[in-house]
Structure formats: structure tokens, C-alpha cells
Amino acid sequence: MKLRIVPANTGFAWVKLGIQTFFRQPLAMTGLFFMFMAVVSVLSVIPVVGTAISLVLVPAATLGLMAASREALNGRFPMPTTLVTAFRSGATKAQPMLILGGMYAAALLLVVAFAGLVGSASAPAELQEGAQVTPEMAIQAIFNNPGFWFGLVLYLPTVMAFWHAPALVHWHGVSPVKSLFFSFMACWGNKGAFVLYMMGWVGVMFMLVLVMGLLATVLGGSQALGLVVYPAGLFIASMFHTSIFFTFRDSFVTEDSPTLPAPTTGDDA
């Protein structure tokens, strides 16, 4: 296995492939993402340990959604069991994924803890006086909090380290610790493509906001808008998670995984 460096415009191709593959199996991809969110929501209700357990399962769920994208790409309907791909091959595969999940939970909780230490210990005064809080006031309070920016600085390398790690651990037998290194290096090596990838999804979200605003105007205001916001957000989130598979597929060249489609863009490093 070796790193593949792709052209920066591959980032836009990943967005396009994610959307196209989603529409091959829209109900399945949306349903699987909804199932994942439902499980996380239920676990989060459990006092003390619920949030930690839900974080531990995030890498496994990410792998399941990547496997579902591969199924849809190959013309197959992703079954609900695809979401638990990480746990269907016995303890040999499940144990490293749980270790990776524990590392992810610990890393994210540390990011939140350090951001809280750097940030304000209490809400800004204008939010404590009992006056009505507007969205603009809340947004300003968040962006003026140094803890937000410090947390973001810590979160970005964390995301890079865990981005490809689930697929590396499960599909290629890389140890959890090594997978973090390989994933970070792959993201860094293809940083141009990932910047355009994220910009592409920001553009998709912007277009969605414009369409929803137009629908609200045509159909009768905020009540009509409320009916489409959640489904639209669910579809966009499902498309985004569908596209993650392609960022992994095109970032590595492997000789022992014939089931993975060959990269369609870029040259070998």
C-alpha cells in the first residue's frame, strides 16, 4: 500500500461522485445514516458514559457508511447490516476497530476539554441579562470565544488522523496507531484536494440554503421552510458521508484489495 497524490481538482470530483453514488441508492444511504444518528442519539441519553460510547462507535459507523457507498457504486443495495461491517468478521476485526474508537473518543474529549480551558468560563454578559438572545448574538459569542478557535486548531489534525483510519484498520489490517499516521499523511499530502472537497460541500450547502429560501417564499414562509429543513439536511449529510469512500479510494494504491475500484483520477506518487 502506498500513498497516491491526486490533483487538487479531484476534491470536486469526490463531491460529484458522492452525490452521484447517493442517487443510485438514495433510500438506503439516507436510511443507514439515519440509523447511525438514531443510535448516537439514544446512547447520548445514557448518563455519564453514553456520550463516550457513541464516540467509540463513530469509526465503526464511518466504515459502515463507506462500505455502503462501495455497495451502491457496484450496483448493489446496501443492507442495514452493512452499517456494522466492522463487527461482522469476528473479534480479529472488531477489536482493532474498538481500540480505534476508544482513541477517537479520548482525542475528541481532550480537544473539548482543552478548548473549554482556553475559552470563557461563562457566557458573555449580554447573554446573561435575561434579554432575548438572537441568532446573531449567539454566533458572535461563539466566534469571539478564543476556546472555539483553539478547539478548531486541535480538531483539524484530529480529523485528518482519523479520516482514513477506519478503512485502513478494517480493509488493510493496519494497526490503529499506524493508521492514524498514514491517514494524517494522506490528508496532508492531498491537502489541495481536501480543501477543494470541503469548498465543494460548502457550495452545495449554500445552494441548498438558496433553494430552501426560495421554497419558503413561494410556499408560504417559515412554516413551509420548517417542513423541508430536516429532510434536506439529512440528504446532504448522507451525500457527504457517501463521498468519504472516494477520498479513501483515491488516496491510496493497494495491491491486495481487488474489490476496491481502481482510482479514476490522479497519478501515483
Side-chain angles (χ1 to χ4, degrees):
M1 180 181 65
K2 61 180 180 178
L3 172 65
R4 177 187 289 271
I5 303 300
V6 300
N9 61 7
T10 306
F12 289 141
W14 290 337
V15 176
K16 180 180 179 181
L17 286 168
I19 295 173
Q20 289 177 338
T21 305
F22 170 83
F23 279 109
R24 288 190 178 191
Q25 299 289 350
L27 294 179
M29 300 306 300
T30 304
L32 289 172
F33 180 75
F34 180 80
M35 288 171 58
F36 164 57
M37 294 304 298
V39 170
V40 169
S41 299
V42 171
L43 289 174
S44 299
V45 175
I46 302 175
V48 184
V49 298
T51 299
I53 294 174
S54 64
L55 290 175
V56 168
L57 295 178
V58 166
T62 301
L63 175 73
L65 293 171
M66 292 174 69
S69 299
R70 187 173 65 176
E71 291 289 292
L73 180 65
N74 291 330
R76 296 188 291 267
F77 184 87
M79 301 300 292
T81 53
T82 308
L83 194 60
V84 292
T85 295
F87 306 118
R88 295 172 58 193
S89 301
T92 303
K93 292 284 189 179
Q95 184 178 4
M97 190 62 65
L98 289 175
I99 293 174
L100 183 67
M103 295 166 65
Y104 177 77
L108 206 60
L109 291 174
L110 284 174
V111 168
V112 173
F114 282 122
L117 289 175
V118 173
S120 302
S122 58
E126 61 269 20
L127 301 184
Q128 299 179 354
E129 297 173 352
Q132 183 177 0
V133 178
T134 65
E136 292 77 13
M137 292 171 60
I139 293 173
Q140 184 177 8
I142 292 173
F143 281 92
N144 288 340
N145 188 338
F148 169 80
W149 298 107
F150 184 72
L152 185 61
V153 169
L154 294 179
Y155 182 66
L156 286 177
T158 302
V159 169
M160 292 168 67
F162 284 93
W163 189 265
H164 300 303
L168 290 171
V169 168
H170 185 80
W171 282 331
H172 302 294
V174 180
S175 70
V177 174
K178 288 183 178 180
S179 73
L180 300 183
F181 173 76
F182 293 150
S183 176
F184 182 88
M185 294 307 298
C187 290
W188 181 256
N190 287 315
K191 54 186 176 294
F194 274 96
V195 168
L196 294 187
Y197 172 68
M198 292 303 176
M199 290 177 60
W201 281 114
V202 170
V204 172
M205 288 295 298
F206 181 73
M207 291 299 297
L208 176 65
V209 171
L210 290 180
V211 171
M212 289 194 299
L214 179 61
L215 286 175
T217 302
V218 173
L219 299 179
S222 59
Q223 290 184 344
L225 181 61
L227 296 176
V228 299
V229 166
Y230 182 78
L234 184 62
F235 288 153
I236 293 296
S238 301
M239 291 179 192
F240 174 78
H241 281 81
T242 302
S243 70
I244 292 176
F245 167 73
F246 299 100
T247 69
F248 170 75
R249 184 196 70 175
D250 291 349
S251 293
F252 295 93
V253 180
T254 61
E255 298 177 355
D256 58 346
S257 54
T259 57
L260 290 178
T264 55
T265 57
D267 300 320
D268 290 347

